[in-house]
Amino acid sequence: MALQIRGLFAHQPQVHNGSQVRLPSGVSRFIRNAVPWAVGGPLVEAETAPEQWSYALSYPLHQDAMRGLASGDALIVECKLLVHKGDLGIGVVDADQSSFVSREGTVHASAQPTTVRIWVREPAKAGHVLFRNIAADAKTTHFELLSIRALVMPGGRECHASWSSLANSSIPLDELRRVLAWAQATWDRPFPEHPTPSTSAALKIVDVEMLPSVLGRSETLVTSQDKSLADWKMETDDGPILDYLWRSIAPRRHLEFGTWEGFGATLVARATEAEIWTLNLPGGETNADGETLYSSTDSGQFIGRLYREAGYDARVHQLLCDSREFDTRPFETSPFDTVLIDGGHTPDVVASDTAKALRVLKQGGACVWHDFCPDPDALSHNLAPLGVVQAVVENFEDWSVQFEQLFWVRKSWILVGLGRR
């Protein structure tokens, strides 16, 4: 449970780059300090400079107020704001205000106040709470800071999972839910959550060196076992594992949610003789604010360029659509041997893609989810696995019964479901 820290913030902010600022009167500040609940006005009202990324205000932090924090505690800065115009960024920076020591929260213009929680895993590095203009096109941002407070999360700096030990061969769902809740808090809960009942169920773990025995193969598989999962990459680290899976299963018909540049489709085409169908949004995946996540490489002519350059386009059917609108009916009478789910990474899209995948997966077929990584450090540094893991936790009971085996490949970002025959 988070506990409030008092006396952390300076009474008045530092003003930057000619921002226009209006502070409450001395009497109002005195009353607010004496009886905080008696005054409803803002702590400060400001109009930023028009330049994007321009600093507007910063509140210095009194280091003495943090001396009681233990080495494993995390700091949370909670701000309630009303943005009248523009787009505001809020984050915690170091003492010289040159580097962020937290993620930057964003607030867009709205008629209603917004509360932002900024998670600082290393409070000793925190020097100021910074407010800056992030509006594009040389527009100013006009906002009111209604309240600001500091909380300490005891033991919140790190989270440890039982499955980090090689002695553990499964992931208890209830523990995974607790790890997920910790990681969601570090991101200020970016996705809507659906409560799930307590369960004794567990997800199986298959260590990567045991994959040959599970798949009935004799060839060994070597991967990057000395690398942090938070730094894992599909192309260099998961690619060899996916290649091994496809060669072992040898699908004749393969479906893929999420083309991007076509690495996944190229991998299947190179490893097998499969005919491949692959879906992608025409404009690529975007975040909650409608901003493209992967720049130009996930849209237009860049979609699928790798399989075209490799000469596999004759075996690949490129479908450009929102996967949530993908009509599975034409494929339900001629199902797929394998499906890869690697499209949108929000829990709702992962759940939708999985439901559609299960409709068109043949009996005994294999479903593979990429970006499933239950490692706490990876979940707190990467938003994609956070959404995938949340989807799996919320739908585990429905999905697990569809497969003879459902397991996480340790060490990887891959979840595998082998269908019942």
Side-chain angles (χ1 to χ4, degrees), residues 1 29 46 49 76 84 132 142 172 206 326:
M1 179 181 293
R29 289 198 301 271
I76 300 171
H84 298 282
R132 67 175 182 170
H142 175 206
V206 171
F326 172 52

Side-chain angles (χ1 to χ4, degrees), residues 242-254:
L242 291 168
D243 178 78
Y244 192 90
L245 283 169
W246 305 141
R247 291 182 187 280
S248 302
I249 300 169
R252 303 298 299 176
R253 288 169 61 84
H254 174 81

